[in-house]
Amino acid sequence: MTIEVLYFAALRERVGHPRETISSDALTPRDLVAELAARSEGHRAAFADLAALRCAVDQQLVDLDAPLGAAREVAFFPPMTGG
């Protein structure tokens, strides 16, 4: 499937761009992270600490083990704080 992957904050800085369109067979965001981390050193650095990673699939916050289904967009970002 084709997925639009969005990167925010420090992840965008490490990867080097805010988004990319990829073809993936990932079943979960965790699977997608593994595929992305293998793409470059910047991707590997962006996904080095999964405990500091949040994910949204089609603009809904999800756990890394949630099914991707027919997702069109997956966004990765660091934890957010309120205020």
Coordinates of all heavy atoms in Angstrom, one line a residue:
M1 N 0.8 -1.2 0.0 CA 0.0 0.0 0.0 C 0.9 1.2 0.0 O 2.0 1.2 0.4 CB -0.9 0.0 1.2 CG -0.4 0.5 2.5 SD -1.5 0.4 3.8 CE -0.7 -0.7 4.9
T2 N 0.3 2.3 -0.5 CA 1.0 3.6 -0.5 C 0.6 4.4 0.7 O -0.6 4.6 1.0 CB 0.7 4.4 -1.8 OG1 1.1 3.6 -2.9 CG2 1.5 5.7 -1.8
I3 N 1.6 4.9 1.5 CA 1.3 5.7 2.7 C 2.1 7.0 2.7 O 3.3 7.0 2.3 CB 1.8 4.8 3.9 CG1 1.1 3.5 4.0 CG2 1.6 5.6 5.2 CD1 1.6 2.6 5.1
E4 N 1.4 8.0 3.1 CA 2.1 9.3 3.3 C 2.6 9.3 4.7 O 1.8 9.2 5.7 CB 1.1 10.5 3.0 CG 1.6 11.8 3.2 CD 2.4 12.2 1.9 OE1 2.3 11.6 0.9 OE2 3.1 13.3 2.0
V5 N 3.9 9.4 4.9 CA 4.4 9.5 6.3 C 4.9 10.9 6.6 O 5.6 11.5 5.8 CB 5.7 8.5 6.3 CG1 6.3 8.5 7.8 CG2 5.3 7.1 5.9
L6 N 4.4 11.4 7.7 CA 4.7 12.7 8.2 C 5.6 12.7 9.4 O 5.4 11.8 10.3 CB 3.4 13.5 8.5 CG 2.3 13.5 7.5 CD1 1.0 14.1 8.1 CD2 2.7 14.1 6.2
Y7 N 6.5 13.6 9.4 CA 7.5 13.7 10.6 C 7.4 15.1 11.2 O 7.4 16.1 10.5 CB 8.9 13.5 10.1 CG 9.1 12.2 9.3 CD1 9.2 12.2 7.9 CD2 9.2 11.0 10.0 CE1 9.4 11.0 7.2 CE2 9.4 9.8 9.3 CZ 9.5 9.8 7.9 OH 9.7 8.7 7.2
F8 N 7.4 15.1 12.5 CA 7.2 16.4 13.2 C 8.4 16.6 14.2 O 8.9 15.6 14.7 CB 5.9 16.5 13.9 CG 4.7 16.5 13.0 CD1 4.1 15.4 12.6 CD2 4.3 17.7 12.5 CE1 3.0 15.4 11.7 CE2 3.3 17.8 11.6 CZ 2.6 16.7 11.2
A9 N 8.7 17.8 14.5 CA 9.7 18.2 15.5 C 11.0 17.6 15.2 O 11.5 17.6 14.1 CB 9.2 17.9 16.9
A10 N 11.6 17.0 16.3 CA 13.0 16.4 16.2 C 13.1 15.3 15.1 O 14.1 15.1 14.5 CB 13.4 15.9 17.5
L11 N 12.0 14.6 14.9 CA 12.0 13.5 13.9 C 12.2 14.1 12.5 O 13.0 13.5 11.7 CB 10.7 12.7 14.0 CG 10.6 11.7 15.1 CD1 10.1 12.3 16.4 CD2 9.8 10.5 14.7
R12 N 11.5 15.2 12.2 CA 11.7 15.8 10.9 C 13.1 16.3 10.8 O 13.7 16.1 9.7 CB 10.7 17.0 10.9 CG 10.9 17.8 9.6 CD 10.0 19.0 9.4 NE 9.7 19.6 10.7 CZ 8.5 20.3 10.9 NH1 7.6 20.4 10.0 NH2 8.3 20.8 12.1
E13 N 13.7 16.8 11.8 CA 15.1 17.3 11.7 C 16.0 16.1 11.4 O 17.0 16.3 10.6 CB 15.5 18.0 13.0 CG 14.8 19.3 13.2 CD 15.0 19.9 14.6 OE1 15.9 19.4 15.3 OE2 14.2 20.8 15.0
R14 N 15.8 15.0 12.1 CA 16.7 13.9 11.9 C 16.6 13.2 10.5 O 17.5 12.8 9.9 CB 16.5 12.8 13.0 CG 17.0 13.4 14.3 CD 16.8 12.3 15.4 NE 17.3 12.9 16.7 CZ 16.6 13.0 17.8 NH1 15.4 12.5 17.8 NH2 17.1 13.5 18.9
V15 N 15.3 13.1 10.1 CA 15.0 12.5 8.8 C 15.5 13.4 7.7 O 15.9 13.0 6.6 CB 13.5 12.1 8.7 CG1 13.2 11.7 7.3 CG2 13.2 11.0 9.7
G16 N 15.3 14.7 7.9 CA 15.7 15.7 6.9 C 14.6 16.2 6.0 O 14.9 17.0 5.1
H17 N 13.4 15.8 6.2 CA 12.3 16.3 5.4 C 11.0 16.1 6.2 O 10.9 15.2 7.1 CB 12.2 15.7 4.0 CG 12.4 14.2 4.0 ND1 13.6 13.7 3.8 CD2 11.5 13.2 4.1 CE1 13.5 12.3 3.8 NE2 12.2 12.0 4.0
P18 N 9.9 16.8 5.9 CA 8.7 16.7 6.7 C 7.8 15.6 6.3 O 6.9 15.2 7.1 CB 8.0 18.1 6.5 CG 8.5 18.5 5.1 CD 9.9 18.0 5.0
R19 N 7.9 15.1 5.1 CA 7.0 14.0 4.7 C 7.7 13.2 3.5 O 8.6 13.7 2.9 CB 5.7 14.6 4.2 CG 5.8 15.4 3.0 CD 4.5 16.0 2.5 NE 3.8 16.7 3.5 CZ 2.5 16.6 3.8 NH1 1.7 15.8 3.1 NH2 1.9 17.3 4.8
E20 N 7.1 12.0 3.4 CA 7.5 11.2 2.2 C 6.4 10.2 1.9 O 5.7 9.8 2.8 CB 8.9 10.5 2.4 CG 8.9 9.5 3.6 CD 10.3 9.0 3.8 OE1 11.1 8.7 2.8 OE2 10.7 8.8 5.0
T21 N 6.3 9.9 0.7 CA 5.3 8.9 0.3 C 6.0 7.6 0.0 O 7.0 7.6 -0.8 CB 4.5 9.4 -1.0 OG1 3.9 10.6 -0.7 CG2 3.5 8.4 -1.4
I22 N 5.6 6.5 0.6 CA 6.3 5.2 0.5 C 5.3 4.1 0.2 O 4.1 4.2 0.4 CB 7.1 4.9 1.8 CG1 6.2 4.6 2.9 CG2 8.1 6.0 2.1 CD1 6.8 3.9 4.1
S23 N 5.9 3.1 -0.3 CA 5.1 1.8 -0.5 C 5.5 0.9 0.6 O 6.7 0.7 0.8 CB 5.4 1.2 -1.9 OG 4.7 0.0 -2.1
S24 N 4.6 0.3 1.3 CA 4.9 -0.5 2.4 C 3.9 -1.7 2.6 O 2.7 -1.6 2.2 CB 4.8 0.3 3.7 OG 5.0 -0.5 4.8
D25 N 4.4 -2.8 3.1 CA 3.6 -3.9 3.5 C 3.4 -4.0 5.0 O 2.9 -5.0 5.5 CB 4.2 -5.2 3.0 CG 4.2 -5.3 1.5 OD1 3.3 -4.8 0.8 OD2 5.2 -5.8 0.9
A26 N 3.7 -2.9 5.7 CA 3.7 -3.0 7.2 C 2.2 -3.2 7.6 O 1.3 -2.7 7.1 CB 4.2 -1.6 7.7
L27 N 2.1 -4.0 8.7 CA 0.8 -4.2 9.3 C 0.4 -3.3 10.5 O -0.7 -3.1 10.8 CB 0.7 -5.7 9.7 CG 0.9 -6.7 8.6 CD1 0.8 -8.1 9.2 CD2 -0.2 -6.5 7.5
T28 N 1.5 -2.8 11.1 CA 1.3 -1.9 12.3 C 2.3 -0.8 12.1 O 3.3 -0.8 11.4 CB 1.6 -2.7 13.6 OG1 3.0 -3.0 13.6 CG2 0.8 -3.9 13.7
P29 N 2.1 0.3 12.9 CA 3.1 1.4 12.9 C 4.5 0.9 13.4 O 5.5 1.3 12.8 CB 2.5 2.4 13.9 CG 1.0 2.2 13.8 CD 0.9 0.7 13.6
R30 N 4.5 -0.1 14.3 CA 5.8 -0.6 14.7 C 6.5 -1.3 13.5 O 7.7 -1.1 13.3 CB 5.6 -1.6 15.8 CG 6.9 -2.1 16.4 CD 6.7 -3.1 17.6 NE 5.8 -2.5 18.6 CZ 6.3 -1.8 19.7 NH1 7.5 -1.4 19.8 NH2 5.4 -1.3 20.6
D31 N 5.8 -2.0 12.7 CA 6.4 -2.6 11.5 C 6.9 -1.5 10.5 O 8.0 -1.6 9.9 CB 5.4 -3.4 10.7 CG 4.9 -4.7 11.4 OD1 5.6 -5.1 12.4 OD2 3.8 -5.2 11.1
L32 N 6.1 -0.4 10.4 CA 6.5 0.7 9.5 C 7.8 1.4 10.1 O 8.6 1.7 9.3 CB 5.3 1.7 9.4 CG 5.5 2.9 8.5 CD1 5.8 2.4 7.1 CD2 4.3 3.8 8.6
V33 N 7.9 1.5 11.4 CA 9.1 2.1 12.0 C 10.3 1.3 11.6 O 11.3 1.8 11.2 CB 8.9 2.2 13.5 CG1 10.3 2.4 14.2 CG2 7.9 3.3 13.9
A34 N 10.2 0.0 11.7 CA 11.3 -0.9 11.3 C 11.7 -0.7 9.9 O 12.9 -0.6 9.6 CB 10.9 -2.4 11.6
E35 N 10.7 -0.6 9.0 CA 11.0 -0.4 7.6 C 11.7 1.0 7.4 O 12.7 1.1 6.6 CB 9.8 -0.4 6.7 CG 9.2 -1.8 6.5 CD 7.9 -1.8 5.7 OE1 7.6 -0.7 5.0 OE2 7.2 -2.8 5.7
L36 N 11.2 2.0 8.0 CA 11.7 3.4 7.9 C 13.1 3.5 8.4 O 14.0 4.1 7.9 CB 10.8 4.4 8.5 CG 9.4 4.5 7.9 CD1 8.5 5.3 8.7 CD2 9.6 5.2 6.5
A37 N 13.3 2.9 9.6 CA 14.6 2.9 10.2 C 15.8 2.4 9.4 O 16.9 2.8 9.5 CB 14.6 2.2 11.6
A38 N 15.4 1.5 8.5 CA 16.4 0.8 7.6 C 16.7 1.7 6.4 O 17.6 1.4 5.6 CB 15.9 -0.5 7.1
R39 N 16.0 2.8 6.2 CA 16.1 3.7 5.0 C 17.4 4.5 5.0 O 18.0 4.7 3.9 CB 14.9 4.5 4.8 CG 13.7 3.8 4.4 CD 12.5 4.7 4.4 NE 12.4 5.5 3.1 CZ 11.8 5.1 2.0 NH1 11.1 4.0 2.0 NH2 11.8 5.9 1.0
S40 N 17.8 5.0 6.2 CA 18.9 5.9 6.2 C 19.4 6.1 7.7 O 18.7 5.7 8.6 CB 18.6 7.3 5.6 OG 17.8 8.0 6.5
E41 N 20.6 6.6 7.9 CA 21.1 6.9 9.2 C 20.1 7.9 9.9 O 19.9 7.8 11.1 CB 22.5 7.5 9.1 CG 23.1 7.7 10.5 CD 23.2 6.5 11.4 OE1 23.5 5.4 10.8 OE2 23.0 6.6 12.6
G42 N 19.6 8.9 9.2 CA 18.7 9.9 9.8 C 17.4 9.2 10.2 O 16.9 9.5 11.3
H43 N 16.9 8.3 9.5 CA 15.7 7.6 9.9 C 16.0 6.7 11.1 O 15.2 6.7 12.1 CB 15.2 6.7 8.7 CG 14.5 7.4 7.6 ND1 15.2 7.9 6.6 CD2 13.2 7.6 7.4 CE1 14.4 8.5 5.7 NE2 13.1 8.2 6.2
R44 N 17.1 6.1 11.1 CA 17.5 5.2 12.2 C 17.6 6.1 13.5 O 17.1 5.7 14.6 CB 18.9 4.6 11.9 CG 19.2 3.4 12.9 CD 20.4 2.6 12.4 NE 21.3 3.1 11.4 CZ 21.2 2.9 10.0 NH1 20.2 2.1 9.6 NH2 22.0 3.4 9.2
A45 N 18.2 7.3 13.4 CA 18.3 8.2 14.6 C 16.9 8.7 15.0 O 16.7 8.8 16.2 CB 19.2 9.4 14.2
A46 N 16.1 8.9 14.1 CA 14.7 9.4 14.4 C 13.9 8.4 15.2 O 13.2 8.8 16.1 CB 14.0 9.8 13.1
F47 N 14.1 7.1 14.9 CA 13.3 6.1 15.5 C 14.1 5.3 16.6 O 13.7 4.2 16.9 CB 12.8 5.1 14.5 CG 11.8 5.8 13.6 CD1 12.1 6.0 12.2 CD2 10.6 6.3 14.0 CE1 11.2 6.7 11.4 CE2 9.7 6.9 13.2 CZ 10.0 7.1 11.9
A48 N 15.2 5.8 17.1 CA 16.1 5.1 18.0 C 15.4 4.9 19.4 O 15.7 3.9 20.0 CB 17.4 5.9 18.2
D49 N 14.6 5.8 19.8 CA 13.9 5.6 21.1 C 12.4 5.5 20.9 O 11.7 6.5 20.9 CB 14.3 6.9 22.0 CG 13.7 6.8 23.4 OD1 13.1 5.7 23.7 OD2 13.9 7.7 24.1
L50 N 11.9 4.3 20.8 CA 10.5 4.1 20.6 C 9.6 4.6 21.8 O 8.5 4.9 21.6 CB 10.2 2.7 20.3 CG 10.7 2.1 19.0 CD1 10.3 0.7 18.8 CD2 10.4 3.0 17.9
A51 N 10.2 4.7 23.0 CA 9.5 5.2 24.2 C 9.2 6.6 24.0 O 8.2 7.1 24.7 CB 10.3 4.9 25.5
A52 N 9.9 7.3 23.2 CA 9.7 8.8 23.0 C 9.1 9.0 21.7 O 9.3 10.1 21.0 CB 11.1 9.5 23.1
L53 N 8.2 8.1 21.2 CA 7.6 8.2 19.9 C 6.1 8.1 20.0 O 5.6 7.2 20.7 CB 8.1 7.1 19.0 CG 7.6 7.1 17.6 CD1 8.1 8.3 16.8 CD2 8.1 5.8 16.9
R54 N 5.4 9.0 19.4 CA 3.9 8.9 19.3 C 3.6 8.8 17.8 O 4.3 9.2 17.0 CB 3.3 10.2 19.9 CG 3.6 10.4 21.4 CD 3.0 9.2 22.2 NE 3.4 9.3 23.6 CZ 4.5 8.7 24.2 NH1 5.3 8.0 23.5 NH2 4.7 8.9 25.5
C55 N 2.4 8.3 17.6 CA 1.9 8.0 16.2 C 0.5 8.3 16.1 O -0.3 8.0 17.0 CB 2.2 6.5 16.0 SG 1.7 5.9 14.3
A56 N 0.1 8.8 14.9 CA -1.3 9.0 14.5 C -1.5 8.3 13.1 O -0.6 8.5 12.2 CB -1.6 10.4 14.4
V57 N -2.5 7.6 13.0 CA -2.9 7.0 11.7 C -4.2 7.6 11.3 O -5.2 7.6 12.0 CB -3.1 5.4 11.9 CG1 -3.6 4.8 10.6 CG2 -1.8 4.8 12.3
D58 N -4.1 8.2 10.1 CA -5.2 9.0 9.5 C -5.8 9.9 10.6 O -7.0 10.0 10.8 CB -6.3 8.0 9.0 CG -5.8 7.3 7.7 OD1 -4.9 7.8 7.0 OD2 -6.3 6.2 7.5
Q59 N -4.9 10.6 11.3 CA -5.2 11.7 12.2 C -5.8 11.2 13.5 O -6.4 12.0 14.2 CB -6.0 12.8 11.6 CG -5.2 13.4 10.4 CD -6.0 14.6 9.8 OE1 -7.0 15.0 10.2 NE2 -5.4 15.1 8.7
Q60 N -5.7 9.9 13.8 CA -6.1 9.4 15.1 C -4.9 8.8 15.9 O -4.2 8.0 15.3 CB -7.1 8.3 14.9 CG -8.4 8.7 14.2 CD -9.3 9.6 15.1 OE1 -9.4 9.3 16.3 NE2 -9.8 10.7 14.5
L61 N -4.7 9.3 17.1 CA -3.7 8.7 17.9 C -3.8 7.2 18.1 O -4.9 6.8 18.4 CB -3.6 9.4 19.3 CG -3.2 10.9 19.3 CD1 -3.3 11.5 20.7 CD2 -1.8 11.0 18.8
V62 N -2.8 6.5 17.9 CA -2.8 5.0 18.1 C -1.5 4.5 18.7 O -0.5 5.2 18.8 CB -3.0 4.3 16.7 CG1 -4.3 4.7 16.0 CG2 -1.8 4.6 15.8
D63 N -1.6 3.3 19.2 CA -0.5 2.6 19.8 C 0.4 2.1 18.6 O -0.2 1.9 17.5 CB -1.0 1.5 20.6 CG 0.1 0.7 21.3 OD1 0.6 1.2 22.3 OD2 0.5 -0.4 20.8
L64 N 1.6 1.9 18.8 CA 2.5 1.4 17.8 C 2.1 0.0 17.3 O 2.5 -0.5 16.2 CB 4.0 1.4 18.2 CG 4.6 2.7 18.4 CD1 6.0 2.6 18.9 CD2 4.6 3.5 17.1
D65 N 1.3 -0.7 18.1 CA 0.9 -2.1 17.7 C -0.5 -2.1 17.1 O -1.0 -3.2 16.8 CB 1.0 -3.0 18.9 CG 2.5 -3.2 19.3 OD1 3.3 -3.5 18.4 OD2 2.8 -3.1 20.5
A66 N -1.1 -1.0 16.9 CA -2.4 -0.9 16.3 C -2.4 -1.3 14.8 O -1.3 -1.1 14.1 CB -3.0 0.5 16.4
P67 N -3.4 -1.9 14.3 CA -3.4 -2.3 12.8 C -3.4 -1.0 12.0 O -4.1 -0.1 12.2 CB -4.6 -3.1 12.7 CG -5.5 -2.8 13.8 CD -4.6 -2.4 14.9
L68 N -2.7 -1.1 10.9 CA -2.7 0.0 9.9 C -3.9 -0.1 9.0 O -4.4 1.0 8.5 CB -1.4 0.0 9.1 CG -0.2 0.6 9.8 CD1 1.0 0.4 8.8 CD2 -0.4 2.0 10.2
G69 N -4.4 -1.3 8.7 CA -5.5 -1.4 7.8 C -5.2 -0.8 6.5 O -4.1 -1.0 5.9
A70 N -6.1 0.1 6.0 CA -5.9 0.8 4.7 C -5.5 2.2 5.0 O -6.0 3.1 4.3 CB -7.2 0.7 3.9
A71 N -4.6 2.4 5.9 CA -4.2 3.8 6.3 C -3.7 4.5 5.1 O -3.0 4.0 4.2 CB -3.2 3.7 7.4
R72 N -4.0 5.8 5.0 CA -3.4 6.7 3.9 C -2.3 7.5 4.5 O -1.4 7.9 3.7 CB -4.5 7.6 3.4 CG -5.6 6.9 2.7 CD -6.6 7.9 2.1 NE -7.7 7.2 1.5 CZ -8.6 7.8 0.9 NH1 -8.7 9.1 0.8 NH2 -9.6 7.1 0.3
E73 N -2.4 7.8 5.8 CA -1.4 8.8 6.4 C -1.0 8.3 7.8 O -1.8 7.9 8.6 CB -2.0 10.1 6.5 CG -1.1 11.2 7.2 CD -1.9 12.4 7.4 OE1 -2.0 13.3 6.5 OE2 -2.4 12.6 8.5
V74 N 0.3 8.3 8.0 CA 0.9 7.9 9.3 C 1.8 9.1 9.7 O 2.7 9.4 9.0 CB 1.6 6.6 9.3 CG1 2.2 6.3 10.7 CG2 0.7 5.5 8.9
A75 N 1.6 9.6 10.9 CA 2.4 10.7 11.4 C 3.2 10.3 12.6 O 2.6 9.6 13.5 CB 1.5 11.9 11.8
F76 N 4.4 10.7 12.7 CA 5.2 10.3 13.9 C 5.7 11.7 14.5 O 6.1 12.6 13.8 CB 6.5 9.5 13.4 CG 6.1 8.1 12.9 CD1 6.2 7.8 11.6 CD2 5.7 7.2 13.8 CE1 5.8 6.6 11.1 CE2 5.4 5.9 13.4 CZ 5.4 5.6 12.0
F77 N 5.7 11.7 15.8 CA 6.1 12.9 16.6 C 6.5 12.5 18.0 O 6.1 11.5 18.5 CB 4.9 13.9 16.6 CG 3.6 13.3 16.9 CD1 3.1 13.3 18.2 CD2 2.8 12.8 15.9 CE1 1.9 12.7 18.5 CE2 1.6 12.2 16.2 CZ 1.1 12.1 17.5
P78 N 7.2 13.4 18.6 CA 7.6 13.2 20.0 C 6.4 13.4 21.0 O 5.4 14.0 20.5 CB 8.7 14.2 20.3 CG 8.4 15.3 19.3 CD 7.8 14.7 18.1
P79 N 6.5 13.0 22.2 CA 5.3 13.2 23.1 C 5.0 14.7 23.3 O 5.9 15.5 23.2 CB 5.9 12.7 24.5 CG 7.0 11.8 24.1 CD 7.6 12.3 22.8
M80 N 3.8 15.0 23.5 CA 3.3 16.3 23.6 C 3.0 16.6 25.1 O 2.7 15.8 25.8 CB 2.0 16.5 22.8 CG 2.1 16.2 21.3 SD 0.5 16.2 20.5 CE -0.2 14.6 21.1
T81 N 3.1 17.9 25.4 CA 2.8 18.3 26.7 C 1.7 19.4 26.6 O 1.6 20.1 25.6 CB 4.0 18.9 27.5 OG1 4.5 20.0 26.8 CG2 5.1 17.9 27.7
G82 N 0.9 19.5 27.6 CA -0.1 20.5 27.6 C 0.3 21.7 28.4 O 1.3 21.7 29.0
G83 N -0.5 22.8 28.3 CA -0.1 23.9 29.1 C -1.0 25.0 28.8 O -1.5 25.9 28.9

